[in-house]
Amino acid sequence: MLKPISGIFLSLLAIAGCAADNTPAAAPAAAAPSAPQAPAETARLRAALLPVPKGMHVAYGPELGAFGSLKSTQQGLAAVRQAKLQRPECAGAAQLDAAKPDVAQAPAAVIAFAADRGSITQAVVALPKAAFPAPLPKECASYTADVSGTQVTYKTRTLAMPAKGDESRAYLTTAAGDNKKNAEIGSVIIRRGTLIMSMLVVGQRVKPQGLYELARLADENLARVAR
């Protein structure tokens, strides 16, 4: 079973590399306590999360708080720090950057689901102003990394997902390791107003149509709570 590690695309290395062979996640780095969220904001973010998909169970969360202080975010950052990337700039490309103060301090909700066939991790972040990550740079379409002594090759292509929200993108990444434990990672990011929804779907095979259906459901929830 693939072990889900929450967070945004920054934790992809841990999911596709370390997690594929059940290597424990690195302990999260110390983070400043997050400011208390207003009950209304907490309820809004929680309402934007997906319900448990059929045949899966909640493996983590929901966790709520400032995005940069969440345990899931810290684990993803720690996993990337431990990995040796051929192109370090590609670790968080096309995704929200938790190292930026306005993103790190933004209220967020994260949840992860798991089943024998793989995992789904979703985050919803309320930013102070409308923002959307730039597209994946061409140089990040293919690169390698050393993840806990395993060489992993990542190859990513942009998917032609039907438009969602105000802005949206979807990617499919193949992670092939020299330990023969391969994985596919479907990534979706959607913006509605100042809300950003990011989702990772990890499995031996991720079908684009299934990813699009999850994106549709996630966007419907986002539309109900976006202001």
Side-chain angles (χ1 to χ4, degrees), residues 51-196:
V52 183
K54 185 178 180 180
M56 304 190 81
H57 65 272
V58 175
Y60 176 87
E63 183 185 18
L64 299 102
F67 182 58
S69 70
L70 296 181
K71 179 181 177 181
S72 53
T73 306
Q74 290 291 308
Q75 284 180 329
L77 289 167
V80 171
R81 283 195 296 269
Q82 287 189 340
K84 298 176 182 178
L85 280 70
Q86 176 194 18
R87 298 184 183 277
E89 69 276 13
C90 295
Q95 298 294 319
L96 288 173
D97 185 356
K100 293 181 178 179
D102 58 339
V103 176
Q105 296 166 16
V110 177
I111 195 166
F113 309 105
D116 288 343
R117 64 184 182 275
S119 65
I120 298 171
T121 304
Q122 183 192 25
V124 180
V125 184
L127 297 173
K129 61 182 180 180
F132 198 66
L136 187 76
K138 291 182 179 179
E139 61 269 23
C140 294
S142 179
Y143 66 95
T144 61
D146 184 304
V147 184
S148 297
T150 297
Q151 284 294 122
V152 182
T153 299
Y154 298 95
K155 293 185 178 180
T156 301
R157 61 185 174 96
T158 303
L159 297 176
M161 183 180 72
K164 299 286 183 292
D166 298 321
E167 296 179 89
S168 61
R169 290 195 190 95
Y171 302 96
L172 184 61
T173 298
T174 299
D178 57 15
N179 59 3
K180 307 301 181 184
K181 291 186 178 180
N182 300 341
E184 288 189 342
I185 306 100
S187 171
V188 173
I189 187 163
I190 301 170
R191 179 183 71 82
R192 278 190 178 270
T194 57
L195 285 183
I196 293 277

Side-chain angles (χ1 to χ4, degrees), residues 213-227:
E213 176 60 15
L214 285 170
R216 183 187 68 80
L217 295 172
D219 188 44
E220 286 181 355
N221 279 3
L222 208 60
R224 282 196 287 267
V225 303
R227 295 169 183 164

